[in-house]
Amino acid sequence: MDHAGFLTGNLTLDLAISAWFIAQLLKTLINLAVTHSLDLKKMVKSGDMPSSHSAFVCAATMSIGQVCGWHDPLFSLSAAISLVVMYDACNVRRAAGEQAKVLNRMVLDLSNPNSLFALLGSHPEKELDEDEDREQKELNEFLGHTPLEVLGGALLGILIAMI
């Protein structure tokens, strides 16, 4: 039985890449349906439904299970890595996104002349803006996923590998 892939020559990698692409495409289409505006940046951004990370690793894991066998150590390793990636998406990356929201609000508050710092007579923004030419960039707040977004990505990856 030939298991050559259609993109890279590796079926497992091709299925994982396909699952990632389809998840990113779905995010873009969902955003289009909700906002009525096409944002092609969604094709490469993290966050939102479904999780492309989960789709990627679950498609690879299912493919390995189907090709190598469900009792093969390679499937066990792939399943373990998939669980770590999905845990990370739900917890670590999501927490980093929540922290980015707080930090973005703090920076905005520091630059507000009506903030507590301005009322107390302190001007910490002067200390922060030593380089006037430096552009202030907001931190990315959409890094992680809700458990439902991770589940959606996992199911998408499993479905793609099974097809």
Side-chain angles (χ1 to χ4, degrees), residues 90-157:
C90 272
N91 294 292
V92 179
R93 287 179 43 234
R94 186 156 178 82
E98 293 299 318
Q99 290 174 358
K101 284 180 189 177
V102 171
L103 289 171
N104 285 336
R105 279 188 225 124
M106 288 173 63
V107 168
L108 186 62
D109 190 44
L110 285 172
S111 63
N112 181 353
N114 296 323
S115 72
L116 178 62
F117 298 105
L119 295 173
L120 294 175
S122 172
H123 299 286
E125 66 272 5
K126 296 295 182 199
E127 297 168 17
L128 294 173
D129 287 339
E130 292 174 2
D131 183 4
E132 294 290 330
D133 296 330
R134 190 179 72 191
E135 192 177 305
Q136 180 103 22
K137 293 186 179 182
E138 276 194 3
L139 297 172
N140 184 2
E141 298 177 5
F142 302 101
L143 298 173
H145 295 280
T146 65
L148 185 61
E149 292 168 346
V150 169
L151 179 62
L155 293 174
L156 176 65

Short mmCIF file of all heavy atoms in Angstrom, two decimals, residues 90-157:
data_model
loop_
_atom_site.label_atom_id
_atom_site.label_comp_id
_atom_site.label_asym_id
_atom_site.label_seq_id
_atom_site.Cartn_x
_atom_site.Cartn_y
_atom_site.Cartn_z
N CYS A 90 -5.08 25.86 25.32
CA CYS A 90 -6.18 26.21 26.24
C CYS A 90 -5.70 26.97 27.47
O CYS A 90 -6.45 27.76 28.03
CB CYS A 90 -6.87 24.95 26.74
SG CYS A 90 -8.19 24.39 25.70
N ASN A 91 -4.50 26.72 27.90
CA ASN A 91 -4.06 27.26 29.18
C ASN A 91 -2.93 28.27 29.05
O ASN A 91 -3.12 29.44 29.35
CB ASN A 91 -3.67 26.12 30.12
CG ASN A 91 -4.87 25.27 30.47
OD1 ASN A 91 -5.75 25.73 31.17
ND2 ASN A 91 -4.92 24.05 29.97
N VAL A 92 -1.77 27.83 28.62
CA VAL A 92 -0.59 28.70 28.62
C VAL A 92 -0.75 29.84 27.63
O VAL A 92 -0.61 31.01 27.99
CB VAL A 92 0.69 27.89 28.31
CG1 VAL A 92 1.91 28.79 28.29
CG2 VAL A 92 0.87 26.78 29.33
N ARG A 93 -1.07 29.53 26.37
CA ARG A 93 -1.20 30.59 25.36
C ARG A 93 -2.40 31.48 25.65
O ARG A 93 -2.37 32.67 25.41
CB ARG A 93 -1.28 29.97 23.96
CG ARG A 93 0.07 29.43 23.50
CD ARG A 93 0.06 28.78 22.13
NE ARG A 93 -0.69 29.52 21.16
CZ ARG A 93 -1.68 28.99 20.43
NH1 ARG A 93 -2.05 27.74 20.59
NH2 ARG A 93 -2.31 29.72 19.54
N ARG A 94 -3.48 30.89 26.15
CA ARG A 94 -4.66 31.70 26.50
C ARG A 94 -4.33 32.66 27.64
O ARG A 94 -4.72 33.82 27.62
CB ARG A 94 -5.82 30.80 26.87
CG ARG A 94 -7.11 31.57 27.09
CD ARG A 94 -8.32 30.69 26.88
NE ARG A 94 -9.55 31.38 27.11
CZ ARG A 94 -10.16 32.15 26.23
NH1 ARG A 94 -9.63 32.33 25.05
NH2 ARG A 94 -11.28 32.76 26.52
N ALA A 95 -3.59 32.17 28.64
CA ALA A 95 -3.19 33.03 29.76
C ALA A 95 -2.28 34.16 29.27
O ALA A 95 -2.41 35.31 29.72
CB ALA A 95 -2.49 32.21 30.84
N ALA A 96 -1.39 33.86 28.33
CA ALA A 96 -0.53 34.91 27.78
C ALA A 96 -1.35 35.96 27.06
O ALA A 96 -1.06 37.16 27.14
CB ALA A 96 0.49 34.29 26.83
N GLY A 97 -2.41 35.54 26.37
CA GLY A 97 -3.30 36.48 25.71
C GLY A 97 -4.04 37.36 26.70
O GLY A 97 -4.21 38.56 26.49
N GLU A 98 -4.48 36.76 27.81
CA GLU A 98 -5.16 37.53 28.85
C GLU A 98 -4.20 38.54 29.48
O GLU A 98 -4.58 39.67 29.79
CB GLU A 98 -5.75 36.60 29.92
CG GLU A 98 -6.88 35.73 29.42
CD GLU A 98 -8.08 36.53 28.92
OE1 GLU A 98 -8.45 37.53 29.57
OE2 GLU A 98 -8.63 36.15 27.88
N GLN A 99 -2.95 38.14 29.68
CA GLN A 99 -1.96 39.06 30.23
C GLN A 99 -1.68 40.20 29.26
O GLN A 99 -1.49 41.35 29.66
CB GLN A 99 -0.67 38.31 30.56
CG GLN A 99 -0.82 37.40 31.75
CD GLN A 99 0.41 36.54 31.99
OE1 GLN A 99 1.38 36.59 31.25
NE2 GLN A 99 0.36 35.74 33.03
N ALA A 100 -1.67 39.88 27.97
CA ALA A 100 -1.46 40.92 26.95
C ALA A 100 -2.58 41.97 27.02
O ALA A 100 -2.33 43.17 26.87
CB ALA A 100 -1.38 40.31 25.56
N LYS A 101 -3.83 41.52 27.26
CA LYS A 101 -4.95 42.46 27.38
C LYS A 101 -4.70 43.44 28.54
O LYS A 101 -4.88 44.65 28.41
CB LYS A 101 -6.26 41.72 27.64
CG LYS A 101 -6.85 41.07 26.43
CD LYS A 101 -8.15 40.37 26.80
CE LYS A 101 -8.65 39.52 25.66
NZ LYS A 101 -9.87 38.78 26.00
N VAL A 102 -4.28 42.89 29.68
CA VAL A 102 -4.03 43.72 30.86
C VAL A 102 -2.88 44.69 30.58
O VAL A 102 -2.98 45.89 30.89
CB VAL A 102 -3.72 42.84 32.09
CG1 VAL A 102 -3.24 43.67 33.26
CG2 VAL A 102 -4.94 42.01 32.47
N LEU A 103 -1.80 44.21 29.99
CA LEU A 103 -0.66 45.08 29.70
C LEU A 103 -1.02 46.17 28.69
O LEU A 103 -0.60 47.32 28.84
CB LEU A 103 0.52 44.25 29.19
CG LEU A 103 1.19 43.37 30.24
CD1 LEU A 103 2.20 42.43 29.60
CD2 LEU A 103 1.86 44.22 31.31
N ASN A 104 -1.81 45.82 27.67
CA ASN A 104 -2.23 46.83 26.70
C ASN A 104 -3.06 47.92 27.38
O ASN A 104 -2.91 49.10 27.09
CB ASN A 104 -3.03 46.19 25.55
CG ASN A 104 -2.13 45.45 24.58
OD1 ASN A 104 -0.94 45.73 24.46
ND2 ASN A 104 -2.70 44.49 23.88
N ARG A 105 -3.94 47.52 28.32
CA ARG A 105 -4.75 48.50 29.04
C ARG A 105 -3.87 49.38 29.93
O ARG A 105 -4.11 50.59 30.07
CB ARG A 105 -5.82 47.80 29.89
CG ARG A 105 -7.02 47.41 29.06
CD ARG A 105 -8.16 46.90 29.94
NE ARG A 105 -8.66 45.72 29.30
CZ ARG A 105 -8.77 44.52 29.83
NH1 ARG A 105 -8.46 44.32 31.09
NH2 ARG A 105 -9.21 43.49 29.15
N MET A 106 -2.86 48.77 30.55
CA MET A 106 -1.96 49.54 31.41
C MET A 106 -1.18 50.58 30.61
O MET A 106 -1.04 51.73 31.04
CB MET A 106 -0.99 48.60 32.14
CG MET A 106 -1.65 47.78 33.23
SD MET A 106 -0.56 46.54 33.94
CE MET A 106 0.70 47.55 34.68
N VAL A 107 -0.68 50.19 29.45
CA VAL A 107 0.07 51.12 28.61
C VAL A 107 -0.84 52.26 28.15
O VAL A 107 -0.45 53.43 28.16
CB VAL A 107 0.69 50.39 27.40
CG1 VAL A 107 1.23 51.36 26.36
CG2 VAL A 107 1.79 49.44 27.86
N LEU A 108 -2.07 51.92 27.78
CA LEU A 108 -3.03 52.94 27.38
C LEU A 108 -3.32 53.89 28.54
O LEU A 108 -3.37 55.11 28.36
CB LEU A 108 -4.33 52.27 26.90
CG LEU A 108 -5.39 53.17 26.31
CD1 LEU A 108 -4.85 53.87 25.06
CD2 LEU A 108 -6.62 52.36 25.96
N ASP A 109 -3.46 53.33 29.74
CA ASP A 109 -3.72 54.16 30.91
C ASP A 109 -2.55 55.07 31.22
O ASP A 109 -2.72 56.23 31.61
CB ASP A 109 -4.04 53.27 32.12
CG ASP A 109 -4.57 54.08 33.29
OD1 ASP A 109 -5.42 54.96 33.07
OD2 ASP A 109 -4.12 53.83 34.43
N LEU A 110 -1.33 54.58 31.05
CA LEU A 110 -0.14 55.40 31.30
C LEU A 110 -0.07 56.60 30.36
O LEU A 110 0.44 57.66 30.73
CB LEU A 110 1.13 54.57 31.15
CG LEU A 110 1.45 53.61 32.28
CD1 LEU A 110 2.62 52.71 31.91
CD2 LEU A 110 1.75 54.38 33.55
N SER A 111 -0.58 56.45 29.16
CA SER A 111 -0.51 57.54 28.19
C SER A 111 -1.71 58.49 28.30
O SER A 111 -1.73 59.53 27.66
CB SER A 111 -0.43 56.99 26.77
OG SER A 111 -1.60 56.26 26.47
N ASN A 112 -2.67 58.15 29.14
CA ASN A 112 -3.86 58.98 29.33
C ASN A 112 -3.55 60.10 30.32
O ASN A 112 -3.16 59.84 31.45
CB ASN A 112 -5.01 58.11 29.84
CG ASN A 112 -6.30 58.87 30.04
OD1 ASN A 112 -6.35 60.09 29.94
ND2 ASN A 112 -7.35 58.13 30.36
N PRO A 113 -3.76 61.37 29.93
CA PRO A 113 -3.46 62.48 30.85
C PRO A 113 -4.38 62.50 32.07
O PRO A 113 -4.05 63.14 33.07
CB PRO A 113 -3.66 63.73 29.99
CG PRO A 113 -4.43 63.29 28.82
CD PRO A 113 -4.22 61.83 28.64
N ASN A 114 -5.49 61.81 32.03
CA ASN A 114 -6.41 61.76 33.17
C ASN A 114 -6.19 60.53 34.04
O ASN A 114 -6.99 60.24 34.92
CB ASN A 114 -7.86 61.77 32.67
CG ASN A 114 -8.20 63.05 31.97
OD1 ASN A 114 -7.75 64.12 32.36
ND2 ASN A 114 -8.97 62.94 30.91
N SER A 115 -5.11 59.81 33.81
CA SER A 115 -4.86 58.59 34.58
C SER A 115 -4.40 58.93 35.99
O SER A 115 -4.07 60.07 36.31
CB SER A 115 -3.79 57.74 33.89
OG SER A 115 -2.52 58.34 34.04
N LEU A 116 -4.37 57.93 36.83
CA LEU A 116 -3.92 58.09 38.21
C LEU A 116 -2.51 58.67 38.26
O LEU A 116 -2.20 59.52 39.09
CB LEU A 116 -3.98 56.74 38.93
CG LEU A 116 -3.50 56.71 40.37
CD1 LEU A 116 -4.37 57.62 41.24
CD2 LEU A 116 -3.52 55.31 40.92
N PHE A 117 -1.63 58.24 37.32
CA PHE A 117 -0.25 58.74 37.30
C PHE A 117 -0.21 60.25 37.04
O PHE A 117 0.54 60.97 37.67
CB PHE A 117 0.56 58.00 36.24
CG PHE A 117 0.67 56.54 36.50
CD1 PHE A 117 -0.06 55.63 35.76
CD2 PHE A 117 1.49 56.06 37.51
CE1 PHE A 117 0.02 54.27 36.00
CE2 PHE A 117 1.58 54.70 37.77
CZ PHE A 117 0.85 53.81 37.02
N ALA A 118 -1.05 60.72 36.12
CA ALA A 118 -1.08 62.15 35.81
C ALA A 118 -1.65 62.93 36.99
O ALA A 118 -1.17 64.02 37.32
CB ALA A 118 -1.91 62.40 34.56
N LEU A 119 -2.67 62.38 37.64
CA LEU A 119 -3.30 63.06 38.78
C LEU A 119 -2.34 63.18 39.96
O LEU A 119 -2.38 64.13 40.73
CB LEU A 119 -4.56 62.33 39.21
CG LEU A 119 -5.70 62.33 38.18
CD1 LEU A 119 -6.84 61.45 38.65
CD2 LEU A 119 -6.19 63.75 37.94
N LEU A 120 -1.45 62.20 40.13
CA LEU A 120 -0.48 62.23 41.22
C LEU A 120 0.74 63.06 40.90
O LEU A 120 1.62 63.23 41.74
CB LEU A 120 -0.06 60.80 41.58
CG LEU A 120 -1.16 59.91 42.16
CD1 LEU A 120 -0.64 58.50 42.36
CD2 LEU A 120 -1.67 60.48 43.47
N GLY A 121 0.83 63.57 39.67
CA GLY A 121 1.96 64.40 39.30
C GLY A 121 3.14 63.64 38.76
O GLY A 121 4.17 64.20 38.46
N SER A 122 3.02 62.34 38.67
CA SER A 122 4.10 61.52 38.13
C SER A 122 3.90 61.38 36.63
O SER A 122 2.79 61.35 36.14
CB SER A 122 4.05 60.13 38.79
OG SER A 122 4.95 59.28 38.18
N HIS A 123 4.97 61.32 35.90
CA HIS A 123 4.89 61.19 34.44
C HIS A 123 5.75 60.02 33.98
O HIS A 123 6.80 60.22 33.38
CB HIS A 123 5.34 62.49 33.76
CG HIS A 123 4.48 63.65 34.12
ND1 HIS A 123 3.21 63.81 33.63
CD2 HIS A 123 4.70 64.70 34.95
CE1 HIS A 123 2.68 64.92 34.12
NE2 HIS A 123 3.57 65.47 34.94
N PRO A 124 5.32 58.78 34.28
CA PRO A 124 6.14 57.63 33.89
C PRO A 124 6.27 57.47 32.38
O PRO A 124 7.24 56.90 31.92
CB PRO A 124 5.39 56.44 34.48
CG PRO A 124 4.00 56.91 34.67
CD PRO A 124 4.09 58.38 34.91
N GLU A 125 5.34 58.05 31.62
CA GLU A 125 5.44 57.90 30.17
C GLU A 125 6.66 58.62 29.62
O GLU A 125 7.21 58.24 28.60
CB GLU A 125 4.16 58.35 29.45
CG GLU A 125 3.84 59.82 29.56
CD GLU A 125 3.03 60.16 30.79
OE1 GLU A 125 2.79 59.28 31.63
OE2 GLU A 125 2.66 61.33 30.94
N LYS A 126 7.11 59.66 30.31
CA LYS A 126 8.32 60.37 29.88
C LYS A 126 9.53 59.46 30.02
O LYS A 126 10.41 59.46 29.18
CB LYS A 126 8.52 61.64 30.69
CG LYS A 126 7.45 62.67 30.50
CD LYS A 126 7.43 63.19 29.10
CE LYS A 126 6.36 64.26 28.96
NZ LYS A 126 5.97 64.50 27.60
N GLU A 127 9.55 58.68 31.07
CA GLU A 127 10.66 57.75 31.27
C GLU A 127 10.61 56.63 30.24
O GLU A 127 11.64 56.17 29.78
CB GLU A 127 10.58 57.15 32.67
CG GLU A 127 10.74 58.17 33.77
CD GLU A 127 10.38 57.61 35.13
OE1 GLU A 127 10.32 56.38 35.27
OE2 GLU A 127 10.14 58.40 36.04
N LEU A 128 9.40 56.22 29.86
CA LEU A 128 9.26 55.12 28.92
C LEU A 128 9.54 55.54 27.49
O LEU A 128 9.99 54.75 26.68
CB LEU A 128 7.84 54.53 28.99
CG LEU A 128 7.45 53.84 30.28
CD1 LEU A 128 5.98 53.47 30.25
CD2 LEU A 128 8.31 52.62 30.52
N ASP A 129 9.31 56.82 27.15
CA ASP A 129 9.43 57.29 25.78
C ASP A 129 10.78 57.97 25.53
O ASP A 129 10.84 59.06 24.99
CB ASP A 129 8.30 58.26 25.43
CG ASP A 129 6.98 57.57 25.26
OD1 ASP A 129 6.99 56.35 25.02
OD2 ASP A 129 5.94 58.24 25.36
N GLU A 130 11.87 57.33 25.90
CA GLU A 130 13.18 57.91 25.67
C GLU A 130 13.45 58.04 24.18
O GLU A 130 14.05 58.98 23.72
CB GLU A 130 14.27 57.06 26.33
CG GLU A 130 14.20 57.11 27.85
CD GLU A 130 15.18 56.16 28.49
OE1 GLU A 130 15.95 55.50 27.77
OE2 GLU A 130 15.19 56.08 29.73
N ASP A 131 13.02 57.06 23.41
CA ASP A 131 13.20 57.09 21.97
C ASP A 131 11.88 57.53 21.35
O ASP A 131 10.96 56.76 21.20
CB ASP A 131 13.61 55.71 21.46
CG ASP A 131 13.88 55.68 19.96
OD1 ASP A 131 13.84 56.75 19.32
OD2 ASP A 131 14.14 54.59 19.45
N GLU A 132 11.77 58.81 21.00
CA GLU A 132 10.53 59.38 20.48
C GLU A 132 10.12 58.74 19.16
O GLU A 132 8.94 58.71 18.82
CB GLU A 132 10.68 60.89 20.28
CG GLU A 132 10.85 61.66 21.56
CD GLU A 132 9.61 61.70 22.42
OE1 GLU A 132 8.50 61.66 21.86
OE2 GLU A 132 9.74 61.77 23.65
N ASP A 133 11.07 58.22 18.38
CA ASP A 133 10.77 57.64 17.07
C ASP A 133 10.24 56.22 17.17
O ASP A 133 9.71 55.69 16.20
CB ASP A 133 12.02 57.64 16.18
CG ASP A 133 12.49 59.06 15.89
OD1 ASP A 133 11.63 59.96 15.85
OD2 ASP A 133 13.69 59.26 15.70
N ARG A 134 10.41 55.62 18.32
CA ARG A 134 9.98 54.23 18.47
C ARG A 134 8.45 54.16 18.45
O ARG A 134 7.77 54.89 19.14
CB ARG A 134 10.51 53.64 19.78
CG ARG A 134 10.28 52.13 19.85
CD ARG A 134 10.83 51.59 21.11
NE ARG A 134 9.94 52.02 22.18
CZ ARG A 134 10.23 51.91 23.47
NH1 ARG A 134 11.35 51.43 23.84
NH2 ARG A 134 9.37 52.32 24.39
N GLU A 135 7.94 53.25 17.64
CA GLU A 135 6.49 53.10 17.50
C GLU A 135 5.97 52.17 18.58
O GLU A 135 6.52 51.11 18.82
CB GLU A 135 6.19 52.51 16.12
CG GLU A 135 4.74 52.56 15.75
CD GLU A 135 4.53 52.02 14.35
OE1 GLU A 135 5.18 52.53 13.42
OE2 GLU A 135 3.74 51.09 14.21
N GLN A 136 4.91 52.60 19.26
CA GLN A 136 4.29 51.78 20.30
C GLN A 136 3.47 50.68 19.63
O GLN A 136 2.62 50.95 18.81
CB GLN A 136 3.38 52.63 21.16
CG GLN A 136 2.71 51.87 22.25
CD GLN A 136 3.37 52.13 23.58
OE1 GLN A 136 4.02 53.12 23.74
NE2 GLN A 136 3.18 51.25 24.51
N LYS A 137 3.73 49.42 19.98
CA LYS A 137 2.99 48.31 19.40
C LYS A 137 2.21 47.61 20.49
O LYS A 137 2.71 47.37 21.58
CB LYS A 137 3.95 47.31 18.75
CG LYS A 137 4.64 47.87 17.53
CD LYS A 137 5.46 46.82 16.84
CE LYS A 137 6.12 47.42 15.62
NZ LYS A 137 6.89 46.44 14.89
N GLU A 138 0.95 47.30 20.17
CA GLU A 138 0.13 46.55 21.11
C GLU A 138 0.55 45.09 21.08
O GLU A 138 0.93 44.55 20.05
CB GLU A 138 -1.35 46.63 20.71
CG GLU A 138 -2.03 47.86 21.19
CD GLU A 138 -3.54 47.76 21.07
OE1 GLU A 138 -4.06 46.70 20.66
OE2 GLU A 138 -4.19 48.75 21.39
N LEU A 139 0.46 44.46 22.24
CA LEU A 139 0.71 43.02 22.33
C LEU A 139 -0.47 42.26 21.74
O LEU A 139 -1.61 42.69 21.86
CB LEU A 139 0.92 42.62 23.79
CG LEU A 139 2.12 43.25 24.49
CD1 LEU A 139 2.09 42.91 25.97
CD2 LEU A 139 3.41 42.77 23.86
N ASN A 140 -0.19 41.13 21.12
CA ASN A 140 -1.24 40.29 20.55
C ASN A 140 -2.06 39.67 21.68
O ASN A 140 -1.52 38.95 22.51
CB ASN A 140 -0.62 39.21 19.67
CG ASN A 140 -1.66 38.36 18.96
OD1 ASN A 140 -2.86 38.59 19.08
ND2 ASN A 140 -1.19 37.39 18.22
N GLU A 141 -3.36 39.92 21.68
CA GLU A 141 -4.24 39.41 22.73
C GLU A 141 -4.91 38.10 22.34
O GLU A 141 -5.56 37.47 23.17
CB GLU A 141 -5.31 40.46 23.05
CG GLU A 141 -4.74 41.74 23.59
CD GLU A 141 -5.79 42.81 23.84
OE1 GLU A 141 -7.00 42.54 23.67
OE2 GLU A 141 -5.40 43.94 24.20
N PHE A 142 -4.79 37.70 21.10
CA PHE A 142 -5.48 36.51 20.61
C PHE A 142 -4.48 35.39 20.35
O PHE A 142 -4.18 35.07 19.21
CB PHE A 142 -6.29 36.84 19.36
CG PHE A 142 -7.29 37.92 19.60
CD1 PHE A 142 -7.04 39.22 19.19
CD2 PHE A 142 -8.47 37.65 20.27
CE1 PHE A 142 -7.95 40.23 19.44
CE2 PHE A 142 -9.38 38.65 20.53
CZ PHE A 142 -9.12 39.94 20.10
N LEU A 143 -3.97 34.82 21.41
CA LEU A 143 -2.94 33.79 21.29
C LEU A 143 -3.50 32.39 21.51
O LEU A 143 -3.07 31.44 20.88
CB LEU A 143 -1.82 34.03 22.31
CG LEU A 143 -1.05 35.33 22.17
CD1 LEU A 143 -0.10 35.50 23.34
CD2 LEU A 143 -0.29 35.36 20.87
N GLY A 144 -4.41 32.26 22.41
CA GLY A 144 -4.88 30.94 22.81
C GLY A 144 -6.30 30.67 22.37
O GLY A 144 -6.88 31.40 21.57
N HIS A 145 -6.84 29.59 22.90
CA HIS A 145 -8.16 29.12 22.52
C HIS A 145 -8.99 28.75 23.74
O HIS A 145 -8.46 28.39 24.77
CB HIS A 145 -8.04 27.87 21.65
CG HIS A 145 -7.38 28.11 20.34
ND1 HIS A 145 -8.03 28.66 19.27
CD2 HIS A 145 -6.11 27.87 19.92
CE1 HIS A 145 -7.21 28.75 18.25
NE2 HIS A 145 -6.03 28.28 18.61
N THR A 146 -10.30 28.79 23.54
CA THR A 146 -11.20 28.23 24.54
C THR A 146 -11.19 26.72 24.35
O THR A 146 -10.80 26.22 23.29
CB THR A 146 -12.63 28.76 24.33
OG1 THR A 146 -13.12 28.29 23.08
CG2 THR A 146 -12.68 30.28 24.38
N PRO A 147 -11.64 25.97 25.35
CA PRO A 147 -11.71 24.52 25.19
C PRO A 147 -12.58 24.11 23.98
O PRO A 147 -12.25 23.15 23.28
CB PRO A 147 -12.32 24.03 26.50
CG PRO A 147 -11.87 25.06 27.50
CD PRO A 147 -11.90 26.37 26.75
N LEU A 148 -13.63 24.85 23.70
CA LEU A 148 -14.49 24.54 22.56
C LEU A 148 -13.75 24.73 21.23
O LEU A 148 -13.90 23.92 20.31
CB LEU A 148 -15.75 25.40 22.59
CG LEU A 148 -16.81 25.10 21.53
CD1 LEU A 148 -17.32 23.66 21.66
CD2 LEU A 148 -17.96 26.07 21.62
N GLU A 149 -12.94 25.77 21.14
CA GLU A 149 -12.15 26.01 19.92
C GLU A 149 -11.12 24.91 19.71
O GLU A 149 -10.89 24.46 18.59
CB GLU A 149 -11.47 27.37 20.00
CG GLU A 149 -12.42 28.54 19.93
CD GLU A 149 -11.80 29.87 20.29
OE1 GLU A 149 -10.67 29.90 20.85
OE2 GLU A 149 -12.45 30.91 20.01
N VAL A 150 -10.52 24.45 20.81
CA VAL A 150 -9.55 23.35 20.73
C VAL A 150 -10.25 22.06 20.31
O VAL A 150 -9.76 21.32 19.45
CB VAL A 150 -8.80 23.17 22.06
CG1 VAL A 150 -7.99 21.88 22.08
CG2 VAL A 150 -7.88 24.36 22.31
N LEU A 151 -11.41 21.80 20.91
CA LEU A 151 -12.18 20.61 20.55
C LEU A 151 -12.58 20.65 19.08
O LEU A 151 -12.48 19.65 18.36
CB LEU A 151 -13.41 20.48 21.44
CG LEU A 151 -14.33 19.29 21.15
CD1 LEU A 151 -13.59 17.97 21.37
CD2 LEU A 151 -15.58 19.36 22.01
N GLY A 152 -13.02 21.82 18.61
CA GLY A 152 -13.39 21.97 17.20
C GLY A 152 -12.23 21.67 16.28
O GLY A 152 -12.37 20.98 15.26
N GLY A 153 -11.04 22.17 16.62
CA GLY A 153 -9.85 21.89 15.82
C GLY A 153 -9.46 20.43 15.86
O GLY A 153 -9.10 19.84 14.84
N ALA A 154 -9.57 19.82 17.04
CA ALA A 154 -9.23 18.40 17.18
C ALA A 154 -10.16 17.54 16.33
O ALA A 154 -9.71 16.65 15.60
CB ALA A 154 -9.30 17.98 18.65
N LEU A 155 -11.45 17.83 16.40
CA LEU A 155 -12.42 17.06 15.60
C LEU A 155 -12.20 17.26 14.11
O LEU A 155 -12.31 16.31 13.32
CB LEU A 155 -13.85 17.42 16.00
CG LEU A 155 -14.26 17.01 17.41
CD1 LEU A 155 -15.65 17.54 17.74
CD2 LEU A 155 -14.19 15.49 17.58
N LEU A 156 -11.87 18.49 13.71
CA LEU A 156 -11.58 18.76 12.31
C LEU A 156 -10.37 17.96 11.85
O LEU A 156 -10.39 17.33 10.78
CB LEU A 156 -11.34 20.26 12.09
CG LEU A 156 -10.93 20.68 10.68
CD1 LEU A 156 -12.06 20.41 9.69
CD2 LEU A 156 -10.54 22.16 10.67
N GLY A 157 -9.30 17.95 12.65
CA GLY A 157 -8.09 17.20 12.29
C GLY A 157 -8.37 15.71 12.20
O GLY A 157 -7.90 15.04 11.26
#
